Amino acid sequence: MTAISHGIQAKDLHAKDVKSVATDAKKPYIQVERRHWINALLFLLCMSMMGLKFPPAYLFVPLILIRSLRKDRYDAAIQLTIFFGGYALIGEGTLPFKTDDVMLLASLVGIAAYRKPPLIRKVLFGLLLYAAAIIILASFSEERMSVQIRLIRYYLGFIYFIVPLMLFAGREFDIEEFLRRVFPYAIILCAFYAIDGYVLCAHILIPKSYIAGEGISTFNDPTYYGFGNFPRKYPPGLFLIGLIIWPISNRYRIRWYHWLVMLVALLASKTFTLILAIALCLMFFQAKTGRTLGYALIAVALLTIGYMADSTMPINPENGESTLRIKSSLDQIFVLDEAQDDEDLSEAGSGRIAQALPKLELLYKYDKQWTGLGFLHPELTKNTKYIIENEYYSDIEHNIEVATGIEISPLQVFITIGYIGLIIHLIFFIWLYMVIRKLKYSKYYLSVMVFVFIVSLGGTMGWNQTTGLLLMGLTYAAVLLANKDEVWGRLKSSDDRINLRNNT
């Protein structure tokens, strides 16, 4: 009895410690061992070199992954997430296969081999129903299922959550250690963006961060703009910031130079929805709600200063956008108020509404608003029924296109699977949070889920894309692993009863 009471007291003290860390105004600075910074740097550099198609990197990356799988499962989980998602380090054409497919294969193996407690079986059953629903909706399209399945698989990327669970099967998991270990990867990627964007003025450390049409950067032919020509760098590598928002809002402080590196990286990406997602999540997920107003005022002040500074800078003659894209992004929001016709409306959202309008018109023309047009492929779809001429594009050479590819993810989901599909899509991901809402650290998953959704309004990732679903799957697994007693408790009790019965 004494041992039990001591255990209860220790558990209560631990719970108080967890709560005090979250609410203490003097949060500790995050501490990461030097060797973990080195491990993260080596892996990310090798991934950069693989993205540049530097031959030795094709050997080094697998070796590092194998070493991590054997020696350090925290690194393995983070590195596999980055490898499968690419995150502008590697991309299409880097390897002879799609890393998304390897991820799906590894996840299916995990489902078959992993011993699943009731809660995880419940999540997998929900995922199965979600997959069945979107496949049924896809069957209403005239597009061939052999084409549609190529895009359906991206919607199922959340299945990746089983991989981190499999990595830590039978092993201890400390979520505080996980939070510390993911930090170097996010900050180093920010440093890569800062160096590439403002020092090298190239696509070298983040080789796949070029905007469409800029060409491919390789080790023997790197994309280099020359000092003073600061390129906009496509933002997927910065999505890992989403993994550290909740820790630095709730549990840890970070040094001023970490904030500076993140700020410079965001300026290099010039992606308004990403900046907005970080700012809003930092405000909403503060440990103390009283700080939210303070952060909101700081954000408004910085945005105002940025807008004023951007107003004094030259306009990009190629796309008509302001230098930092702050002024042009905000101005396009005001277009919604002042729009007199569809042509005015098409200018909103950096031209994304121009992508959407003719596709929405086609959706209603065929009375497909409830089930969608289907999972149309921008290259493989040949059915002329789904080919449109987009009159809102200024580039007439590219105005003939398939009725897909909207850079606002919720709208893309609506075009693809209609009202029914969009409702199912939203309910499924909200349900995933409801399943774990009572578990400790569930707000960590919620912060990443909200972060991905806000960024999805710019179309660079979302709940229907691998880059977003991998981050959500990783954090979902982290929450489950941090609650092993609750999640696996019933399974252990059942096993104990079976063992006792067998022994007697």
Side-chain angles (χ1 to χ4, degrees):
M1 289 294 292
T2 305
I4 293 172
S5 64
H6 281 314
I8 294 172
Q9 288 174 4
K11 188 174 182 180
D12 289 342
L13 286 171
H14 174 70
K16 289 177 182 178
D17 289 341
V18 169
K19 188 176 180 181
S20 66
V21 171
T23 57
D24 186 6
K26 293 293 184 182
K27 295 180 292 187
Y29 281 106
I30 191 165
Q31 300 292 335
V32 182
E33 293 182 33
R34 182 181 178 185
R35 62 191 176 95
H36 297 318
W37 282 99
I38 294 172
N39 288 342
L41 178 61
L42 287 175
F43 174 73
L44 293 174
L45 281 174
C46 288
M47 285 288 290
S48 296
M49 294 303 102
M50 179 182 279
L52 290 171
K53 296 188 175 181
F54 185 56
Y58 287 84
L59 173 64
F60 294 148
V61 169
L63 287 177
I64 292 174
L65 288 172
I66 292 169
R67 179 186 179 278
S68 296
L69 286 168
R70 293 181 57 195
K71 301 286 187 181
D72 193 321
R73 296 304 174 96
Y74 293 101
D75 269 340
I78 299 164
Q79 290 170 3
L80 283 173
T81 303
I82 295 171
F83 177 75
F84 289 144
Y87 295 101
L89 295 168
I90 63 174
E92 188 134 358
T94 301
L95 295 162
F97 52 82
K98 288 183 177 291
T99 54
D100 314 74
D101 294 334
V102 180
M103 178 272 291
L104 285 173
L105 179 61
S107 301
L108 291 173
V109 169
I111 290 173
Y114 186 68
R115 200 174 188 187
K116 299 169 282 295
L119 189 147
I120 293 173
R121 288 201 296 268
K122 179 179 180 180
V123 172
L124 288 172
F125 183 69
L127 184 59
L128 179 64
L129 290 179
Y130 172 71
I134 61 176
I135 289 172
I136 290 170
L137 288 168
S139 69
F140 286 93
S141 173
E142 293 182 19
E143 181 57 280
R144 294 168 297 157
M145 190 58 73
S146 60
V147 171
Q148 294 193 72
I149 201 70
R150 292 170 177 262
L151 299 173
I152 289 174
R153 70 187 198 269
Y154 297 128
Y155 278 61
L156 306 179
F158 185 80
I159 197 174
Y160 174 70
F161 86 97
I162 205 74
V163 173
L165 294 180
M166 185 170 55
L167 289 176
F168 283 93
R171 291 176 170 81
E172 290 296 321
F173 178 84
D174 180 357
I175 196 167
E176 299 293 343
E177 179 66 14
F178 174 79
L179 296 177
R180 288 190 292 268
R181 298 290 288 279
V182 78
F183 184 73
Y185 290 90
I187 294 299
I188 290 170
L189 281 172
C190 287
F192 282 5
Y193 267 84
I195 294 169
D196 252 12
Y198 292 102
V199 179
L200 299 178
C201 301
H203 298 307
I204 295 176
L205 292 175
I206 308 288
K208 298 295 182 179
S209 58
Y210 49 82
I211 309 299
E214 288 185 335
I216 298 174
S217 185
T218 62
F219 80 100
N220 58 359
D221 185 21
T223 302
Y224 175 69
Y225 297 89
F227 188 74
N229 298 300
F230 307 119
R232 182 195 172 193
K233 297 186 66 61
Y234 195 55
L238 298 178
F239 295 164
L240 266 75
I241 294 176
L243 297 178
I244 65 172
I245 288 175
W246 185 80
I248 62 180
S249 295
N250 260 267
R251 315 193 72 73
Y252 302 107
R253 287 187 291 169
I254 62 175
R255 306 289 178 180
W256 65 268
Y257 44 83
H258 293 145
W259 287 113
L260 180 61
V261 169
M262 279 196 283
L263 177 61
V264 176
L266 290 171
L267 290 176
S269 78
K270 303 174 186 175
T271 305
F272 184 73
T273 49
L274 176 60
I275 296 170
L276 182 66
I278 294 170
L280 291 178
C281 288
L282 281 172
M283 287 189 289
F284 293 154
F285 292 97
Q286 284 295 314
K288 288 190 173 181
T289 54
R291 292 180 181 171
T292 302
L293 179 59
Y295 276 93
L297 292 174
I298 292 172
V300 170
L302 290 174
L303 192 61
T304 303
I305 293 170
Y307 184 91
M308 293 171 63
D310 202 16
S311 300
T312 65
M313 296 180 181
I315 300 296
N316 188 328
E318 295 181 5
N319 53 30
E321 294 180 341
S322 56
T323 302
L324 299 178
R325 298 186 77 247
I326 297 174
K327 181 181 183 300
S328 54
S329 296
L330 289 175
D331 286 350
Q332 286 164 359
I333 296 174
F334 304 145
V335 167
L336 293 171
D337 244 353
E338 302 169 0
Q340 301 294 320
D341 51 32
D342 285 350
E343 189 171 345
D344 289 340
L345 187 62
S346 71
E347 296 177 9
S350 299
R352 291 181 177 90
I353 300 300
Q355 295 175 337
L357 285 176
K359 295 158 191 176
L360 290 168
E361 290 171 4
L362 189 71
L363 184 76
Y364 283 93
K365 174 185 175 182
Y366 293 133
D367 199 26
K368 287 284 190 179
Q369 63 268 28
W370 289 103
T371 58
L373 297 175
F375 293 84
L376 307 179
H377 195 284
E379 296 170 0
L380 299 180
T381 294
K382 303 300 181 184
N383 189 333
T384 54
K385 183 176 181 178
Y386 300 124
I387 308 296
I388 62 169
E389 180 179 355
N390 196 327
E391 62 184 16
Y392 301 109
Y393 287 168
S394 57
D395 187 353
I396 59 172
E397 293 183 6
H398 298 92
N399 65 347
I400 305 297
E401 61 175 351
V402 176
T404 188
I406 301 173
E407 292 181 31
I408 301 174
S409 290
L411 269 183
Q412 178 61 56
V413 173
F414 172 56
I415 290 287
T416 303
I417 47 181
Y419 283 120
I420 296 173
L422 180 60
I423 292 168
I424 292 171
H425 180 74
L426 294 174
I427 288 175
F428 171 67
F429 286 102
I430 294 170
W431 173 80
L432 284 174
Y433 170 67
M434 298 303 290
V435 169
I436 62 167
R437 72 189 186 283
K438 294 183 179 179
L439 297 179
K440 287 187 298 184
Y441 309 106
S442 62
K443 291 292 177 65
Y444 181 37
Y445 168 73
L446 181 62
S447 71
V448 175
M449 175 180 158
V450 171
F451 171 80
V452 172
F453 180 79
I454 297 172
V455 178
S456 77
L457 301 179
T460 50
M461 74 167 171
W463 294 355
N464 62 333
Q465 298 178 42
T466 303
T467 48
L469 293 173
L470 285 173
L471 300 184
M472 291 166 63
L474 178 64
T475 50
Y476 202 82
V479 173
L480 292 173
L481 288 166
N483 291 271
K484 276 193 172 183
D485 290 342
E486 291 80 359
V487 176
W488 279 264
R490 292 183 182 177
L491 185 63
K492 288 179 180 178
S493 299
S494 176
D495 289 344
D496 289 342
R497 287 196 295 272
I498 292 170
N499 291 333
L500 180 62
R501 188 163 57 246
N502 290 339
N503 289 336
T504 55

